[in-house]
Amino acid sequence: MVRLDEIRPNEVAVDAPAPRDAGLVYIGVIRTPWTSRLECPRQGRDDGPPCRIEVFPPWDQALDGIDAFSKLEVLYWLDRSRRDLVRQSPASDGRTKGTFAIRSPVRPNPIGTSIAVLDGREGNVLLVRGLDCLDGTPLLDLKPERSQFKPIAPPQKGDFETGRG
Ligand code: SAM
């Protein structure tokens, strides 16, 4: 069902902090073993070290039901990145690629994404593996990993006549 601006039965709304900039709010913080980019992996792995995602109030209320999923998409703000490069040389070998053709943390809006394995939950803290960000990286969003959802088929021609539409 398409959502407009309604509040549905049993949904809970909270007073959100005033937006800054594009309106993003940091909803938590990610705790990892890495304090330097030199030691931080370039991409996370399912068998990587345990990390903690601490979700701040009031957003911790939004975790209800998340335990049902084994994998999460984690979106975070790569806060220590520069943001001004349009071509980059990942191998530092003089060859460059456009920023949007690589997964470098240096981007105009330095959003990082990872698929994390959800190992457990302690209240507002998720225990995960599969991250690749520095300790203290701000959390932007969490979603169940997309393959765990069945796509909703768009209406097909003829559905109206068959009563499907
Ligand atoms: N998995 C994410 C993605 O693909 O969108 C991020 C990939 S990026 C290549 C991961 C690298 O970003 C790490 O190896 C580290 O060098 C850097 N990094 C991690 N946390 C960061 C932070 N908070 N600020 C700036 N750079 C960070």
Side-chain angles (χ1 to χ4, degrees):
M1 184 187 297
V2 175
R3 177 183 288 277
L4 299 176
D5 285 322
E6 77 276 23
I7 302 268
R8 296 175 177 166
N10 296 324
E11 291 183 336
V12 177
V14 297
D15 287 325
R20 293 183 303 159
D21 193 31
L24 291 175
V25 288
Y26 295 165
I27 59 163
V29 65
I30 302 177
R31 296 291 173 203
T32 73
W34 306 295
T35 54
S36 135
R37 276 176 254 200
L38 295 177
E39 60 194 22
C40 192
R42 291 186 65 79
Q43 292 294 338
R45 302 164 45 127
D46 284 2
D47 60 355
C51 299
R52 295 164 63 86
I53 299 177
E54 299 175 10
V55 179
F56 301 146
W59 308 110
D60 55 337
Q61 297 171 65
L63 291 171
D64 186 38
I66 205 164
D67 319 63
F69 298 94
S70 56
K71 287 199 166 185
L72 303 176
E73 285 178 19
V74 185
L75 284 76
Y76 37 96
W77 191 253
L78 297 159
D79 57 338
R80 282 152 267 185
S81 287
R82 63 184 300 159
R83 302 172 60 175
D84 57 349
L85 301 185
V86 292
R87 294 193 69 85
Q88 299 181 47
S89 178
S92 196
D93 60 359
R95 291 183 298 164
T96 62
K97 290 185 177 168
T99 290
F100 301 140
I102 55 179
R103 296 199 68 99
S104 161
V106 175
R107 337 190 54 82
N109 292 308
I111 294 171
T113 68
S114 286
I115 304 296
V117 176
L118 180 59
D119 280 339
R121 176 177 162 194
E122 295 170 353
N124 69 325
V125 177
L126 301 178
L127 311 175
V128 300
R129 284 173 289 120
L131 296 181
D132 56 11
C133 57
L134 297 171
D135 188 44
T137 294
L139 177 68
L140 294 180
D141 202 0
L142 295 165
K143 309 182 191 193
E145 194 258 325
R146 71 190 70 188
S147 71
Q148 298 179 61
F149 282 83
K150 277 193 189 150
I152 299 171
Q156 302 294 307
K157 191 170 179 299
D159 281 352
F160 184 72
E161 288 81 2
T162 62
R164 224 194 116 207

